Amino acid sequence: MSYLSIRSLHKSYGATPIFSDIHCEIEKGEFVTLLGPSGCGKSTLLRCIAGLTEVDGGQILLDGQDLVPLSPQKRGIGMVFQSYALFPNMTVQQNVAFGLRMQKVGKDETAQRVEEVLRLVELHDYAARYPHQLSGGQRQRVALARSLVTRPRLLLLDEPLSALDARIRKHLREQIRAIQQELGLTTIFVTHDQEEALTMSDRIFLMNAGKIVQSGDAESLYTAPVDAFAAGFIGNYNLLDADAASRLLLRPVHQRIAIRPESIRLEDSGAIAAEVLGHSLLGNVIRYRVQANGVELLVDVLNRSEGSLIGKGQCIGLSIDANAIREVA
């Protein structure tokens, strides 16, 4: 049996279903991300696992124990939210120690465990500061430390990085992943940011409209989307209906297809004639908008030099690797 097993889980608010018949298995020590658009049910699923939201049916088995009848305090789960939820009148040390006080852990052991976890999140020198004296990234690390200090059986992270700026977010996600691997802590992370999911996860559960539509590692989700939603949400696929695909490829196509922008090559001798409609600079990548056989496409090319830029209105050839063309439902 898997370490965490969710079976036939249902949740509705009145007549509005949030998710139904959710099944998934998570192994001990895995870092799993629930990825999907707002309103797909990922945060509600996380809250059901934590016991903060009641379920309407199904089982949540953690190490063989059904959590559904248990209160949140008896589940042995740590949770970090988007909002830091720190006590403003307590120091960092006191905020982190709060959960151990509730568990009536002895003073000496509490001091030792708090010191250990503050070193782990690199906040040992900030133990005497108050939340208003910290940056957003530091406050989020205090919230993480507060969850880790209780030594949870399972760690749940509900979009903890979304309120931070890009540079801090990147650093903190690397830190969270390193801590998770060091502790071997089974972790479920909720996000709508595909880059976070792709870079942090052992496995990703892609959710839409209350269903897990695809699960797997980052490479399989990115390179082999199961349907048009998965292709549209992971990466920036060109999604073409059968008619547009037939015109582009100059052969009969009977199903919608998806083509990744980076799998299309711009070449003078390319088999498909195209015109450049414009481009966008995305740092190390230039995203061209081109038209070929009446079909508009996005093409991603490495930004090697200013001199290699192809201007608007120029004619160019396209080459598309047949293995990069994915049929999607």
Side-chain angles (χ1 to χ4, degrees):
M1 178 186 293
S2 300
Y3 184 65
L4 177 66
S5 180
I6 298 174
R7 302 176 180 176
S8 304
L9 206 64
H10 298 264
K11 178 61 187 175
S12 298
Y13 289 119
T16 305
I18 304 302
F19 52 75
S20 61
D21 205 27
I22 292 285
H23 291 267
C24 61
E25 305 284 335
I26 297 173
E27 301 301 327
K28 190 174 180 63
E30 264 196 306
F31 191 111
V32 169
T33 295
L34 303 181
L35 175 67
S38 297
C40 70
K42 57 188 185 298
S43 289
T44 303
L45 177 56
L46 205 74
R47 291 177 64 87
C48 289
I49 296 171
L52 302 176
T53 296
E54 291 185 1
V55 301
D56 298 327
Q59 288 184 305
I60 304 170
L61 301 175
L62 181 61
D63 202 15
Q65 180 184 27
D66 190 1
L67 300 181
V68 172
L70 302 180
S71 67
Q73 296 81 4
K74 295 182 179 180
R75 296 191 179 198
I77 291 175
M79 189 160 182
V80 180
F81 299 94
Q82 179 180 343
S83 60
Y84 318 120
L86 303 179
F87 297 109
N89 60 330
M90 292 185 182
T91 64
V92 168
Q93 189 274 337
Q94 291 167 337
N95 266 285
V96 174
F98 183 79
L100 298 179
R101 282 175 49 199
M102 295 298 99
Q103 294 177 355
K104 295 182 169 53
V105 176
K107 186 179 291 186
D108 291 344
E109 184 180 351
T110 294
Q112 178 185 343
R113 284 165 65 172
V114 169
E115 182 177 1
E116 287 174 357
V117 79
L118 286 179
R119 289 190 183 279
L120 190 64
V121 299
E122 300 177 4
L123 286 176
H124 180 259
D125 293 336
Y126 296 81
R129 293 195 186 184
Y130 289 88
H132 73 273
Q133 298 172 311
L134 304 175
S135 68
Q138 289 167 340
R139 282 185 290 225
Q140 195 57 281
R141 280 187 279 160
V142 176
L144 176 62
R146 186 175 54 188
S147 291
L148 294 175
V149 78
T150 60
R151 297 175 181 172
R153 297 190 290 168
L154 178 67
L155 179 63
L156 307 179
L157 303 166
D158 190 7
E159 301 202 50
L161 309 180
S162 59
L164 305 173
D165 67 54
R167 183 182 61 82
I168 295 173
R169 190 163 64 241
K170 182 178 180 181
H171 173 70
L172 195 50
R173 75 188 184 204
E174 292 171 354
Q175 195 171 32
I176 288 172
R177 182 61 164 140
I179 290 170
Q180 180 268 334
Q181 290 177 317
E182 181 178 340
L183 299 179
L185 183 58
T186 310
T187 301
I188 304 177
F189 182 87
V190 163
T191 186
H192 60 268
D193 186 317
Q194 59 165 293
E195 184 179 335
E196 285 181 359
L198 292 172
T199 56
M200 295 179 72
S201 313
D202 293 314
R203 281 193 299 153
I204 300 167
F205 294 167
L206 180 62
M207 294 187 67
N208 186 38
K211 301 285 186 183
I212 296 175
V213 298
Q214 186 172 358
S215 64
D217 61 22
E219 183 176 357
S220 65
L221 261 74
Y222 187 74
T223 59
V226 296
D227 60 16
F229 168 77
F233 199 84
I234 302 284
N236 294 279
Y237 275 84
N238 294 288
L239 290 171
L240 307 178
D241 61 26
D243 178 62
S246 299
R247 284 187 282 121
L248 174 68
L249 301 175
L250 303 175
R251 61 176 174 82
V253 177
H254 304 290
Q255 189 170 333
R256 179 182 286 191
I257 66 168
I259 307 173
R260 293 200 313 274
E262 70 272 19
S263 67
I264 304 173
R265 297 187 301 279
L266 300 181
E267 300 173 342
D268 292 334
S269 58
I272 304 170
E275 178 187 353
V276 176
L277 302 179
H279 72 273
S280 301
L281 178 62
L282 307 177
N284 63 331
V285 169
I286 300 171
R287 177 161 295 160
Y288 288 98
R289 192 164 53 89
V290 305
Q291 188 173 67
N293 299 331
V295 179
E296 193 169 308
L297 298 169
L298 297 177
V299 181
D300 285 354
V301 177
L302 280 177
N303 184 10
R304 291 189 170 87
S305 68
E306 186 178 351
S308 64
L309 187 68
I310 304 171
K312 180 179 179 180
Q314 285 189 241
C315 294
I316 194 72
L318 304 183
S319 295
I320 303 175
D321 186 350
N323 294 326
I325 301 172
R326 307 291 308 186
E327 290 189 350
V328 293

